[in-house]
Amino acid sequence: MVKEYRTTRNDVALPYKWALGSTWTRFFDGLKEERILGIKCKKCGKVFVPARTFCPNCFESMEEWLEVAQEGTVESWALVNNKFYGQVKEPPYVAALIHLDGADCNFNHFIGGFDLSDIQKVKETIEIGTRVKAVWSKEKHADIYDIAYFEPVK
């Protein structure tokens, strides 16, 4: 006898709070002060943004804080123009990997400050290698959205 399996749809929302710990708290406090803080590995010398408690390469504890530039280079990007469940921002928006000057990794954030309704104009404005700079939110909450977005450097 062959068993038949059926599925049914069930959308689950799971609100939660997570403990930031001292490293994330300091990183977000820096954003509230309009400073992007990185943390440097004493063994390999790499600087990570956002900050981490240990080096993902060496597994060494990291304690040396430094401020990195508010400018960087676009390494990859995607225009999001469709809505989906759980979205944190209303489309259209550009999500990008940005290599901040002074960091040794990419930082995931939004690119904005110009019309995103025309894909051709977006492609003319943003490409891999485009220089961008942080634009700060007027109201700060010590979270990642204290940086409203990054905009292309003119």
Side-chain angles (χ1 to χ4, degrees):
M1 174 180 206
V2 175
K3 275 191 169 180
E4 244 182 79
Y5 295 96
R6 296 185 318 180
T7 62
T8 186
R9 181 183 169 110
N10 185 16
D11 295 327
V12 177
L14 185 60
Y16 63 93
K17 290 183 179 180
W18 52 297
L20 295 178
S22 60
T23 302
W24 280 88
T25 297
R26 186 162 180 189
F27 175 73
F28 287 134
D29 285 348
L31 294 182
K32 191 172 184 178
E33 299 167 358
E34 297 190 4
R35 299 171 61 215
I36 302 174
L37 299 176
I39 198 160
K40 184 176 182 178
C41 177
K42 61 186 171 197
K43 187 173 181 182
C44 70
K46 289 185 178 180
V47 177
F48 296 94
V49 177
R52 296 125 201 231
T53 55
F54 66 91
C55 178
N57 298 320
C58 307
F59 303 108
E60 293 285 325
S61 291
M62 295 194 291
E63 298 168 3
E64 184 183 342
W65 289 85
L66 50 97
E67 188 170 354
V68 299
Q70 296 183 16
E71 289 190 13
T73 304
V74 174
E75 298 290 322
S76 179
W77 65 275
L79 174 65
V80 178
N81 53 14
N82 292 313
K83 282 185 144 187
F84 57 86
Y85 181 76
Q87 212 160 12
V88 298
K89 192 172 178 84
E90 189 71 24
Y93 61 88
V94 172
L97 290 177
I98 301 163
H99 193 108
L100 295 171
D101 298 344
D104 291 298
C105 61
N106 294 327
F107 184 65
N108 189 15
H109 215 294
F110 302 116
I111 296 179
F114 60 95
D115 182 17
L116 299 173
S117 64
D118 181 353
I119 184 66
Q120 283 310 115
K121 287 187 181 178
V122 172
K123 288 164 69 173
E124 290 169 9
T125 305
I126 305 172
E127 58 188 22
I128 293 174
T130 298
R131 297 286 299 164
V132 292
K133 66 179 178 179
V135 174
W136 297 93
S137 298
K138 287 183 174 75
E139 208 174 295
K140 308 286 190 309
H141 302 283
D143 63 26
I144 198 68
Y145 304 111
D146 286 350
I147 301 175
Y149 53 85
F150 285 77
E151 70 179 358
V153 175
K154 298 187 169 69

